[in-house]
Amino acid sequence: MSQKLDAKIPEGNIAEKWTKYKSTVPLVNPANKRNIEIIVVGTGLAGSSAASALAEMGYKVKVFCFQDSARRAHSIAAQGGINAAKNYQNDGDSIYRLFYDTIKGGDYRAREANVHRLSEVSGNIIDQCVAQGVPFAREYGGLLSNRSFGGTQVQRTFYAAGQTGQQLLLGAYSALQRQVGMGTVKSYTRHEMLDVVNIDGKCRGIIARDLVTGKLERHFGHAVLLCTGGYGNVFYLSTNAMGSNVTAAWKAHKKGAYFANPCFTQIHPTCIPVSGDHQSKLTLMSESLRNDGRIWTPKKQGDTRKAIDIPEEERDYYLERRYPAFGNLVPRDVASRAAKERCDAGYGVGTSKMAVYLDFAANMKRYGRVEATKQNIHNPDEETIVRLGKEVVKEKYGNLFDMYKQITDENPYEVPMRIYPAVHYTMGGLWVDYNLMTTVPGLYALGEANFSDHGANRLGASALMQGLADGYFVIPYTIGAYLSNEIRTAAISTDHEAFVEAEKNVQSQIEKLMNIKGTKSVDYFHKKLGKVMWDKCGMARNEAGLKEAIAEIRAIREEFWKDLRVPGSANEFNPELEKAGRVADFIELGELMCKDALNRNESCGGHFREEYQTEEGEANRDDADYAYVAAWEFNSVGEWTLNKEELKYENIKIAQRSYK
Amino acid sequence: MNQKGIFKNVVVKKYIMGLSGLFLILFLLVHLSINLCALIPDGGNTFNELAEFMDLPVIKPLEVGLFIGFIIHILDALVLTLQNRKARKNGYEVSAANANSKWYSRSMGILGTLLLMFLIIHLAHFWFPNRFTGYELDGKESHNLYQLMLYTFNELWIVVLYVLVQISLGYHLLHGFRSAFQTLGLNHPRYNTIIEGLGVIYSITVPLLFAVIPVILYLRIHGYIPY
Amino acid sequence: MSHGDMNLTLKIWRQKNTETKGSFETYPISGISPDMSFLEMIDVLNEKLIVEGKEPVAFDHDCREGICGMCSMYINGRPHGPKNAVTTCQLHMRSFKNGDTIVIEPWRASAFPVIKDLAVDRTSFDRIMAAGGFVSVNTGNAQDANNLPISKEDADESFTSAACIGCGACVAACKNASAMLFVSAKVSQYALLPQGQPERKSRVLAMVAQMEEEGFGSCTNTGACEAECPKGISISNIARLNREYLGAALSSK
């Protein structure tokens, strides 16, 4: 049974929707706020900003994270930057242009109203972060510096060296800790949410496990906010943190929240290639490197020469060749696929032949010459130019270059980096309406955990923007629409039967995991799942492969519940048990991702179905049949119902995406 | 801010440590200048005149101040050390601390204790008899400090002890000098090299000159070198 | 595998929980690639222990790219192991030799109690932050970001201090288990920026008071923290904290 999804998009002109809505959305008066409890799960950019902003407004907030501190959430690892339509560079940027770029970048699969709102509040985020003392990069005149990112032709990305996510998260974390110190937020670290509790059709709390003692806890909230990030770890190898997981979102999904566009995953083009079977995770090299690095492969197949021995005319700068307008700064999906195409065709480099070069030599020299002029060195020799250029590059990307050297044992100042695409971000997530509420009343999803803003492909430096927009500037307003009707709801006792039952179910799942007592570790299953997902639901997908994948995943699930071994006990700090629960959910999610990919008979953004491509090998979108959000409703394990939300493009003319 | 706790505060305790240390560093300079006068070959006249000057009633309070300086430095060190011990009750099995710091930086307590033990002996040798009991030289009571020095450094083992202790002092200063500035917040890229350079020069020359005095006196007494 | 496999002996601290006493266990391990990260080597050990029906070694880790600050481990007498300026997750086995014995201990400090094996509780850092590690600005109050020019020099220096990942290696390395480097880095970040000025005094007083409350030791300027910090945070921050504290203590009411 398919139910019509109401996105609750306000009426009116796109540029006025948010302003008008903000001024008319019902409010909760300060005295009532004190009696309303909100649970925030996850402490990344979305979670920390939401928790602190709501606490500042006067709500009673509880915040949960599985890490040992709120500051560890994986937003911390974002490197390159955060977009904002400030037009500080006087290069023609505007709210509309950011809105347009994001919709186009998302290959016309994002919701217009949400994206426009995101663009509108983007500037406030920068203001807020600066006020908090986030040390963004600056020009000598003391004003903020910008750089460019993929999929745009303006410079609108604000950054703090290669550690922008870290600085933004520490800003939000400090705002959160301020509230913790004031007693308005209670922080539960090393706690994992294992279920949501619904009472009379509304979300009223969660069951969490204290990861140190293993005790299950019941927590009541008038509303629950899931800010739990993405599910890229379903592929086992990704740039996500080891602990990043889908469990919170998945438990919510199984309790009635629809899961939207699960197959939309972002494969990031510039990651350090896999070096061996031992690999536990992949490391991203920031997209900002594409500002100054040129991507190439040898023109000859199977060329085994060293990069520096290959002369200029025998190099194929394939992105510049194929996409002259955007060159190395095409969006991520395009760049990733192009790299895969080159490697599959036999032009790859490195020992595995599954890598392309990212080369800084040309720009290093360009910078060197500029620097020499600045320093009044006339007719500088080659050596001076290279030395000066290296200094400039070091200042811009020093930490990334160090990281690369640390991992690969190669010096990127001397030889080009080897890069290959890797799973990085998931555009899909829990379906939410304009208020960021899921299909379960009172249950919200913010940041990467929801689906709404990035369509089928996210542009670089937009994830940080979305996380903070949702937390600082959207949810504080939109939550009023729901909570204004909840002021009469007194705190529900956690002895309520719904809590008791939810806890019992969690307990029995834990016992089930502990009692399998099989022979294989969690990682064994996780790796196996990851391989299926990467091979058949990764950068390129096809019908036959996806069908095989579904069958294989079901087999993995069966084996998992028969042959898993979780050591230790449930009543102690037990990281293997934590992983087991997460992988159990990943297995179920993996199947849904394949199902969604199979359903979407088109190529768009990060979703590339080999059957649907143009003659030039570009994605072939089908707007007539697939301009919708696929929101999956959970029936039972392996059984879903598809619900559709039509995407209407009233302000942007839907067109074939071209970066040529 | 809890005002009653201000002197209990760890940073304040460190200021006191640094300030008293710098005070003692200054005192060492005064002490050394007077001692060097003992080497003037005038039969100890200049040295004794200075020693008598130090006995004047106006100088006395300074001596009390000096004692207070020592006591504060020692007690503060004791309090901080106990507090620091509590901060790590279970130690490491393996330590490779030499990879991240200098042994003498980590051994200020031991170096300081050695210096304290020496200080007691030193006071017993010179200050106590000079100030209170007087001392017998050739059967009659005397207050000639120069003579007392000659008498004391007649013994080889005392000379050796005084020389060895200066090594302790040197290392104590090598960390202490720089550390006092850091604790007082005086760290600036432009001046750090100067402070560190001064520290090294001070920590080598002052103990070296202190060590030279008993050695020369000993050699003179025993006729190895002329007066 | 580029340079052949390695055989190692691991001596690892095992402790069931905070209350129980721990001890060292020795594990031989083979087939370690020099390209593995240190944590991937522990993964291999754990996989082996699980298959053998033994309890794997509990340790903290998350991002595995040197930025979250969750991994710890005191390796052969040094926090984050023998290489400078890297976290344990970024330490690779090529930094060791075939046949080495590697001793792995948890961070040891009274303010960082052991939770299990190599995992310790660092919430004391969170409480120090809650005491004053922020600018009191509510959401939505900010002026336009470029209305507040900040010299590039100050912004860069503030950023350098703000680069602290809160891993606690400074505490682990310090012979006094002092948290001065951590606290001073945060104090410095704000002291260098105009945004930090209104609360400049109260911040340093409150953070230092909390630091002491948590039971960290005092700074004796050995410089071990700076040498072991994976992010190269300088002890000049500690000097700044000392300055800031003096000014605040002398002038606060």
Side-chain angles (χ1 to χ4, degrees):
Chain A
M1 184 193 72
S2 173
Q3 164 199 331
K4 189 148 171 57
L5 286 165
D6 180 8
K8 301 202 176 107
I9 297 165
E11 293 299 314
N13 182 308
I14 187 106
E16 289 160 12
K17 276 184 204 286
W18 177 235
T19 319
K20 260 194 179 156
Y21 184 69
K22 267 200 303 186
S23 340
T24 53
V25 70
L27 301 174
V28 178
N29 93 30
N32 287 329
K33 282 195 187 106
R34 285 197 286 273
N35 299 322
I36 290 186
E37 298 177 42
I38 299 174
I39 287 173
V40 178
V41 186
T43 58
L45 288 179
S48 287
S49 59
S52 57
L54 292 168
E56 285 161 13
M57 293 166 77
Y59 293 110
K60 274 159 74 174
V61 179
K62 284 181 178 178
V63 60
F64 294 80
C65 67
F66 71 80
Q67 297 94 339
D68 74 332
S69 162
R71 66 179 291 155
R72 315 262 189 239
H74 199 53
S75 305
I76 201 129
Q79 297 169 352
I82 176 166
N83 287 332
K86 282 283 199 186
N87 194 30
Y88 281 164
Q89 304 306 321
N90 195 29
D91 55 2
D93 200 8
S94 65
I95 287 172
Y96 182 83
R97 204 181 282 277
L98 173 55
F99 162 62
Y100 176 84
D101 286 347
T102 308
I103 291 281
K104 178 185 169 193
D107 216 357
Y108 304 94
R109 290 293 174 265
R111 193 189 282 153
E112 266 195 347
N114 287 48
V115 176
H116 199 277
R117 174 176 67 188
L118 176 66
S119 303
E120 285 175 66
V121 302
S122 65
N124 302 67
I125 297 171
I126 303 303
D127 301 341
Q128 180 65 26
C129 293
V130 166
Q132 285 172 344
V134 170
F136 282 118
R138 286 176 184 268
E139 306 290 352
Y140 283 100
L143 302 182
L144 292 162
S145 176
N146 290 114
R147 58 184 171 203
S148 346
F149 255 61
T152 66
Q153 289 172 314
V154 294
Q155 291 195 311
R156 64 160 74 99
T157 305
F158 296 78
Y159 62 99
Q163 286 146 262
T164 317
Q166 181 199 25
Q167 292 310 315
L168 294 175
L169 182 62
L170 292 182
Y173 160 75
S174 64
L176 177 66
Q177 288 309 116
R178 172 173 165 244
Q179 297 302 319
V180 171
M182 289 161 76
T184 52
V185 172
K186 193 149 170 32
S187 161
Y188 295 84
T189 58
R190 292 198 196 262
H191 274 67
E192 181 164 30
M193 187 207 106
L194 291 178
D195 209 355
V196 292
V197 178
N198 296 340
I199 297 174
D200 298 332
K202 288 177 177 174
C203 184
R204 293 301 189 190
I206 63 168
I207 304 295
R209 180 167 178 266
D210 178 334
L211 299 181
V212 176
T213 63
K215 267 206 192 80
L216 294 182
E217 296 171 3
R218 305 169 195 172
H219 294 274
F220 163 79
H222 286 87
V224 174
L225 276 50
L226 301 183
C227 311
T228 50
Y231 48 87
N233 270 347
V234 68
F235 292 90
Y236 184 71
L237 285 181
S238 81
T239 64
N240 286 4
M242 301 302 287
S244 302
N245 66 80
V246 76
T247 289
W250 197 251
K251 301 298 187 197
H253 174 55
K254 290 172 94 167
K255 283 281 178 81
Y258 293 2
F259 211 105
N261 300 335
C263 80
F264 287 170
T265 48
Q266 176 158 81
I267 316 287
H268 195 292
T270 52
C271 298
I272 300 178
V274 176
S275 75
D277 295 335
H278 57 264
Q279 195 110 13
S280 60
K281 82 152 265 155
L282 297 169
T283 303
L284 176 76
M285 288 285 105
S286 166
E287 178 162 317
S288 61
L289 292 173
R290 284 200 274 147
N291 273 305
D292 290 317
R294 298 177 71 196
I295 294 175
W296 61 276
T297 56
K299 279 186 179 163
K300 204 173 84 189
Q301 273 175 329
D303 199 329
T304 51
R305 286 177 292 178
K306 281 195 202 142
I308 36 171
D309 297 335
I310 300 176
E312 195 60 29
E313 60 276 10
E314 292 177 43
R315 300 177 175 191
D316 177 16
Y317 295 91
Y318 60 87
L319 285 178
E320 296 169 30
R321 168 170 60 78
R322 280 176 71 176
Y323 309 100
F326 282 71
N328 291 296
L329 283 174
V330 291
R332 291 174 176 177
D333 54 338
V334 177
S336 290
R337 252 188 325 270
K340 180 180 190 309
E341 186 274 330
R342 282 292 86 187
C343 293
D344 289 349
Y347 297 93
V349 301
T351 41
S352 64
K353 298 285 165 206
M354 291 307 273
V356 298
Y357 288 126
L358 178 61
D359 196 338
F360 297 88
N363 280 303
M364 206 127 58
K365 280 188 193 159
R366 181 171 61 83
Y367 282 129
R369 274 190 289 272
V370 172
E371 202 58 26
T373 313
K374 271 196 210 164
Q375 295 182 11
N376 270 324
I377 306 172
H378 301 293
N379 301 320
D381 53 31
E382 191 75 6
E383 206 179 311
T384 313
I385 292 174
V386 171
R387 180 176 53 80
L388 293 173
K390 263 184 204 167
E391 281 168 21
V392 176
V393 168
K394 195 178 173 84
E395 164 150 8
K396 288 179 95 162
Y397 311 113
N399 66 322
L400 298 171
F401 276 52
D402 292 347
M403 202 190 321
Y404 183 86
K405 181 162 190 291
Q406 188 56 39
I407 291 171
T408 62
D409 212 17
E410 286 177 3
N411 183 356
Y413 292 104
E414 307 294 336
V415 297
M417 286 184 180
R418 285 173 298 111
I419 51 156
Y420 196 70
V423 177
H424 179 56
Y425 186 88
T426 51
M427 284 75 68
L430 293 175
W431 184 90
V432 291
D433 62 17
Y434 191 72
N435 291 329
L436 304 182
M437 189 153 87
T438 66
T439 45
V440 177
L443 179 65
Y444 291 80
L446 281 66
E448 192 179 350
N450 75 28
F451 85 102
S452 68
D453 293 358
H454 305 299
N457 171 59
R458 179 175 65 76
L459 290 181
S462 283
L464 303 185
M465 171 172 69
Q466 188 221 342
L468 289 179
D470 285 0
Y472 281 137
F473 296 108
V474 177
I475 197 73
Y477 295 95
T478 60
I479 203 166
Y482 176 76
L483 290 179
S484 57
N485 293 317
E486 293 294 327
I487 51 174
R488 280 167 214 88
T489 311
I492 298 172
S493 159
T494 52
D495 294 332
H496 188 284
E497 56 180 20
F499 276 100
V500 176
E501 200 193 314
E503 187 189 308
K504 220 172 75 190
N505 290 341
V506 170
Q507 184 67 43
S508 75
Q509 151 129 355
I510 289 173
E511 278 163 18
K512 206 170 148 194
L513 287 167
M514 296 300 307
N515 291 334
I516 303 169
K517 295 192 168 42
T519 62
K520 303 211 167 63
S521 71
V522 182
D523 281 357
Y524 166 85
F525 295 102
H526 198 175
K527 284 180 185 172
K528 208 166 164 181
L529 171 71
K531 189 165 171 16
V532 173
M533 294 301 294
W534 179 245
D535 289 345
K536 293 172 179 167
C537 195
M539 259 190 289
R541 299 138 179 203
N542 60 56
E543 187 183 341
L546 288 166
K547 284 181 173 160
E548 282 164 27
I550 290 174
E552 287 167 30
I553 293 167
R554 289 185 166 180
I556 293 173
R557 190 174 77 216
E558 207 162 302
E559 195 191 349
F560 177 88
W561 287 105
K562 263 194 212 140
D563 202 17
L564 173 74
R565 172 178 291 178
V566 181
S569 85
N571 306 316
E572 61 173 340
F573 185 60
N574 189 343
E576 284 298 311
L577 175 60
E578 296 165 28
K579 282 199 296 194
R582 293 168 193 164
V583 170
D585 293 333
F586 277 136
I587 295 173
E588 293 179 15
L589 164 77
E591 184 177 342
L592 179 62
M593 287 170 70
C594 294
K595 201 175 160 77
D596 185 44
L598 194 58
N599 170 68
R600 197 168 275 280
N601 290 319
E602 64 162 350
S603 293
C604 61
H607 170 64
F608 191 75
R609 281 280 299 270
E610 286 164 346
E611 304 95 312
Y612 307 99
Q613 52 182 309
T614 64
E615 279 170 18
E616 293 158 304
E618 304 294 337
N620 198 358
R621 228 176 46 229
D622 177 357
D623 294 320
D625 296 316
Y626 291 96
Y628 65 76
V629 177
W632 298 89
E633 179 181 359
F634 180 85
N635 301 324
S636 62
V637 175
E639 289 297 325
W640 289 272
T641 306
L642 174 62
N643 298 275
K644 297 174 184 175
E645 179 200 340
E646 294 303 324
L647 289 168
K648 292 193 200 81
Y649 289 91
E650 291 161 345
N651 299 278
I652 290 179
K653 199 174 153 290
I654 199 157
Q656 186 64 39
R657 203 168 54 141
S658 168
Y659 291 96
K660 293 180 187 288
Chain B
M1 174 72 199
N2 187 348
Q3 282 299 303
K4 77 173 164 52
I6 192 107
F7 282 101
K8 282 192 182 165
N9 181 281
V10 70
V11 178
V12 176
K13 280 182 211 147
K14 285 298 297 179
Y15 292 140
I16 296 170
M17 204 65 204
L19 283 172
S20 56
L22 284 180
F23 172 69
L24 295 176
I25 282 172
L26 279 176
F27 157 73
L28 281 182
L29 271 185
V30 177
H31 191 340
L32 178 65
S33 339
I34 297 173
N35 280 18
L36 284 173
C37 293
L39 296 182
I40 299 172
D42 61 354
N45 280 344
T46 316
F47 178 76
N48 275 339
E49 273 171 34
L50 277 169
E52 273 163 38
F53 173 75
M54 298 304 285
D55 269 349
L56 289 177
V58 281
I59 305 292
K60 279 266 173 67
L62 292 180
E63 196 178 73
V64 176
L66 178 63
F67 270 91
I68 293 174
F70 267 108
I71 290 166
I72 288 178
H73 197 69
I74 294 161
L75 286 183
D76 199 23
L78 208 64
V79 170
L80 282 167
T81 306
L82 290 177
Q83 186 176 353
N84 291 342
R85 286 266 167 84
K86 266 202 332 212
R88 178 174 292 128
K89 290 178 194 124
N90 303 316
Y92 292 109
E93 171 89 358
V94 178
S95 167
N98 286 333
N100 57 39
S101 52
K102 296 275 187 281
W103 70 267
Y104 53 85
S105 292
R106 304 190 304 270
S107 313
M108 292 299 276
I110 292 167
L111 293 170
T113 310
L114 287 176
L115 292 175
L116 174 61
M117 278 155 46
F118 167 74
L119 183 66
I120 294 164
I121 297 169
H122 184 52
L123 289 177
H125 276 154
F126 295 104
W127 180 80
F128 200 71
N130 187 45
R131 171 74 67 239
F132 300 109
T133 55
Y135 40 89
E136 273 183 33
L137 283 174
D138 305 329
K140 51 183 179 179
E141 195 170 299
S142 167
H143 275 277
N144 185 330
L145 197 57
Y146 181 69
Q147 288 301 322
L148 181 59
M149 257 174 112
L150 293 185
Y151 173 77
T152 309
F153 293 132
N154 190 24
E155 294 277 346
L156 182 61
W157 72 268
I158 293 182
V159 174
V160 171
L161 174 77
Y162 272 62
V163 170
L164 288 180
V165 157
Q166 297 313 315
I167 299 174
S168 229
L169 177 64
Y171 278 114
H172 198 75
L173 288 170
L174 201 54
H175 175 76
F177 192 98
R178 189 182 53 80
S179 179
F181 284 89
Q182 166 80 4
T183 296
L184 296 173
L186 305 170
N187 176 317
H188 188 285
R190 180 174 278 180
Y191 306 109
N192 284 349
T193 0
I194 301 173
I195 293 171
E196 269 166 39
L198 273 180
V200 172
I201 294 169
Y202 186 98
S203 315
I204 293 171
T205 48
V206 170
L208 194 68
L209 290 173
F210 268 124
V212 158
I213 295 163
V215 171
I216 291 184
L217 291 182
Y218 179 83
L219 294 176
R220 280 181 184 171
I221 296 163
H222 292 272
Y224 295 112
I225 54 169
Y227 278 87
Chain C
M1 319 253 152
S2 44
H3 328 279
D5 287 352
M6 304 161 79
N7 299 319
L8 302 160
T9 307
L10 305 175
K11 207 176 148 197
I12 301 178
W13 181 261
R14 303 303 305 261
Q15 181 173 340
K16 191 148 181 57
N17 53 44
T18 311
E19 284 75 37
T20 53
K21 273 192 141 183
S23 61
F24 283 96
E25 295 269 339
T26 305
Y27 305 95
I29 188 163
S30 53
I32 297 302
S33 153
D35 287 331
M36 280 181 190
S37 73
F38 197 83
L39 297 184
E40 284 166 350
M41 184 273 293
I42 303 283
D43 288 344
V44 171
L45 171 70
N46 276 349
E47 179 76 27
K48 192 174 142 227
L49 291 176
I50 292 167
V51 172
E52 287 170 3
K54 296 181 186 144
E55 271 229 40
V57 178
F59 63 101
D60 274 330
H61 64 110
D62 201 23
C63 79
R64 295 209 178 183
E65 51 185 278
I67 195 76
C68 77
M70 191 139 172
C71 61
S72 46
M73 295 199 195
Y74 201 79
I75 301 163
N76 283 347
R78 295 182 67 187
H80 295 304
K83 258 196 110 132
N84 287 337
V86 294
T87 52
T88 299
C89 65
Q90 295 277 278
L91 175 69
H92 283 70
M93 294 314 292
R94 62 180 86 95
S95 297
F96 297 87
K97 290 194 306 288
N98 187 21
D100 276 359
T101 295
I102 305 175
V103 182
I104 311 169
E105 301 175 69
W107 282 178
R108 293 200 186 277
S110 305
F112 288 170
V114 172
I115 288 176
K116 186 177 181 179
D117 298 341
L118 303 172
V120 299
D121 180 354
R122 286 168 286 194
T123 45
S124 45
F125 274 8
D126 286 337
R127 289 188 291 272
I128 293 174
M129 284 292 291
F134 47 76
V135 173
S136 293
V137 51
N138 279 1
T139 310
N141 285 340
Q143 58 172 344
D144 186 90
N146 261 352
N147 283 351
L148 193 69
I150 300 170
S151 84
K152 181 169 161 43
E153 218 171 83
D154 285 345
D156 286 351
E157 208 181 335
S158 174
F159 168 78
T160 311
S161 302
C164 165
I165 57 173
C167 65
C170 45
V171 175
C174 177
K175 77 179 190 63
N176 310 321
S178 169
M180 284 286 274
L181 193 66
F182 169 78
V183 177
S184 67
K186 197 39 80 177
V187 165
S188 290
Q189 178 197 343
Y190 294 126
L192 285 159
L193 296 175
Q195 300 93 309
Q197 301 312 307
E199 294 165 287
R200 190 169 175 170
K201 291 176 188 170
S202 57
R203 175 181 305 115
V204 65
L205 294 176
M207 289 183 80
V208 167
Q210 187 64 37
M211 171 184 85
E212 200 162 9
E213 171 98 29
E214 297 290 345
F216 291 103
S218 72
C219 173
T220 51
N221 305 321
T222 66
C225 53
E226 174 183 77
E228 297 294 5
C229 175
K231 297 294 148 184
I233 306 287
S234 161
I235 54 168
S236 63
N237 288 296
I238 297 182
R240 185 180 291 105
L241 181 145
N242 290 335
R243 267 198 313 274
E244 294 286 319
Y245 192 89
L246 186 60
L250 290 179
S251 62
S252 74
K253 293 195 181 83

